[in-house]
Amino acid sequence: MRWRGVIEEFRAFLPVTEQTPVVTLCEGNTPLIQASRLAKRICPHASLYLKVEGANPTGSFKDRGMSLAVSKALEKRARAVLCASTGNTSASAAAYGGRAELPVYVLIPVGNVALGKLAQAMAHGATVIQIEDNFDQALAIGKTVCAEEGFELVNSINPFRLEGQQTAAMEVCDQLGCAPSYHYLPVGNAGNISAYWKGYTAYHAAGQIAHRPKMIGVQAEGAAPIVRGHVVEQPKTIATAIRIGNPASWKLALQAVGESSGDMKMVTDEDILVAYHLLAAEEGVFCEPASAASVAGLTMCSQAGLVPEGATVVCTLTGHGLKDPDTAVSTSPKARTVKATRDDVLAALRA
Ligand code: F0G
């Protein structure tokens, strides 16, 4: 049967009624790909799966929560939706808000949003406002503006976002036939790890799974407030999606990690780029840099002996590699240009 998007497919677990208008782009149902080659290299005694969230309609996991958040905004007759974003939330809000005929306003940190994401927000017709500061400031301003203007804030502090995003955890269980032993996720504003934990917990309570996984969150070293235990005023990382110094769902993320006996780790930008290129070159899975933090975190934990033999590990790859073409091009070997002759091409192939 045709996949109808997360609201219809997981209706029993979501706060919707017959009166809720369903705004969907048929998000969800993303691939869970076994990564045997990568496993052999980074965690040889475990089974590794990649939840490829870049396969969602706008290219990131945000679509799951945005379907619900925009549907609920429409139900309560909001005048407009607004978000602060490192890029993916704005792309998703622009697409779903546009589809729902709602005006969409997005606040993004100038110069720190990957090109593909900016292009999406603009193409979908959102009003894009670049803030001369970072994401944390944009979110603070966004909250104030929404309260004053009566707009619906569709950042993950909107509870419907997490409700929608929890469906990813349920899908993993449906696809695996059980819950994994470990689930690794990149952490920025900390909504997604909280949503997965909510999803696993709801599935466990409903008797769909026998146990819940240990949740391992992974931050970038230059933007690791949760690992360090304090706000980072000037977050820095090549993984612009998770360049966040004061995560809104900090407490919920700590709860997910604590209740699951998991952990919160940090990795360097170099580790992130190694994982990013391995995923693309050896598994055929092109994700954006922030997404590769999950695999970089797994590599680190495995080297430290923290992945037991026989474990089933899922890494969520949160966004598509095409979101950030600049990083792909600038960190890969250069393409060569030659004369259009057989000899020149052969010479180049053999060089
Ligand atoms: N990966 C990607 C690709 C993201 O875009 C984000 C967050 C995360 C991971 C982290 O998820 O915030 O729930 O911990 N992006 C937000 C945005 C902040 O505005 O698009 P989180």
Side-chain angles (χ1 to χ4, degrees), residues 61-62 85-89 186-192 241-242 244 288 318-319:
F61 71 95
K62 306 286 180 180
S85 181
T86 57
N88 281 322
T89 299
V187 171
N189 214 22
N192 209 28
I242 52 172
I244 293 174
E288 63 173 287
T318 44

Side-chain angles (χ1 to χ4, degrees), residues 79 82 140-153:
R79 286 207 296 139
L82 180 147
I141 296 166
K143 283 188 209 171
T144 308
V145 170
C146 281
E148 285 175 8
E149 297 293 316
F151 296 170
E152 194 68 3
L153 186 68

Side-chain angles (χ1 to χ4, degrees), residues 69-318:
V70 170
S71 296
K72 296 301 276 189
L74 207 54
E75 184 176 6
K76 69 186 259 201
R77 299 183 194 284
R79 286 207 296 139
V81 296
L82 180 147
C83 67
S85 181
T86 57
N88 281 322
T89 299
S90 66
S92 189
Y96 283 78
R99 191 171 170 83
E101 289 185 58
L102 285 167
V104 179
Y105 299 97
V106 308
L107 310 183
I108 57 174
V110 67
N112 280 294
V113 169
L115 184 63
K117 306 174 188 182
L118 181 61
Q120 287 178 290
M122 293 168 74
H124 288 303
T127 301
V128 178
I129 298 163
Q130 308 198 91
I131 306 284
E132 292 174 332
D133 207 322
N134 58 33
F135 168 85
D136 303 291
Q137 294 309 315
L139 181 56
I141 296 166
K143 283 188 209 171
T144 308
V145 170
C146 281
E148 285 175 8
E149 297 293 316
F151 296 170
E152 194 68 3
L153 186 68
V154 292
N155 279 100
S156 55
I157 47 177
N158 177 324
F160 298 120
R161 281 278 312 280
L162 299 196
E163 294 279 358
Q165 282 172 211
Q166 68 172 324
T167 60
M170 296 170 177
E171 270 178 33
V172 167
C173 300
D174 292 347
Q175 290 168 316
L176 271 182
C178 59
S181 344
Y182 291 85
H183 197 127
Y184 283 74
L185 286 150
V187 171
N189 214 22
N192 209 28
I193 190 170
S194 311
Y196 269 81
W197 184 240
K198 186 174 168 56
Y200 281 125
T201 300
Y203 243 29
H204 188 244
Q208 300 280 338
I209 48 174
H211 73 276
R212 297 177 292 174
K214 295 187 196 307
M215 304 297 299
I216 316 288
V218 187
Q219 301 198 291
E221 208 177 55
I226 302 180
V227 176
R228 297 183 189 279
H230 59 78
V231 169
V232 174
E233 297 291 346
Q234 304 287 344
K236 275 198 202 71
T237 168
I238 191 171
T240 51
I242 52 172
R243 186 176 169 270
I244 293 174
N246 188 11
S249 297
W250 191 321
K251 284 205 183 105
L252 283 177
L254 281 180
Q255 195 182 328
V257 165
E259 287 178 6
S260 73
S261 308
D263 207 347
M264 191 67 74
K265 299 283 191 189
M266 62 183 176
V267 293
T268 64
D269 279 4
E270 290 73 29
D271 295 338
I272 289 174
L273 284 176
V274 168
Y276 168 79
H277 286 293
L278 277 178
L279 281 159
E282 298 200 351
E283 291 292 350
V285 179
F286 188 25
C287 65
E288 63 173 287
S291 306
S294 59
V295 170
L298 171 60
T299 307
M300 196 178 75
C301 289
S302 181
Q303 281 167 357
L306 298 174
V307 181
E309 206 167 324
T312 303
V313 181
V314 173
C315 289
T316 294
L317 302 181
T318 44

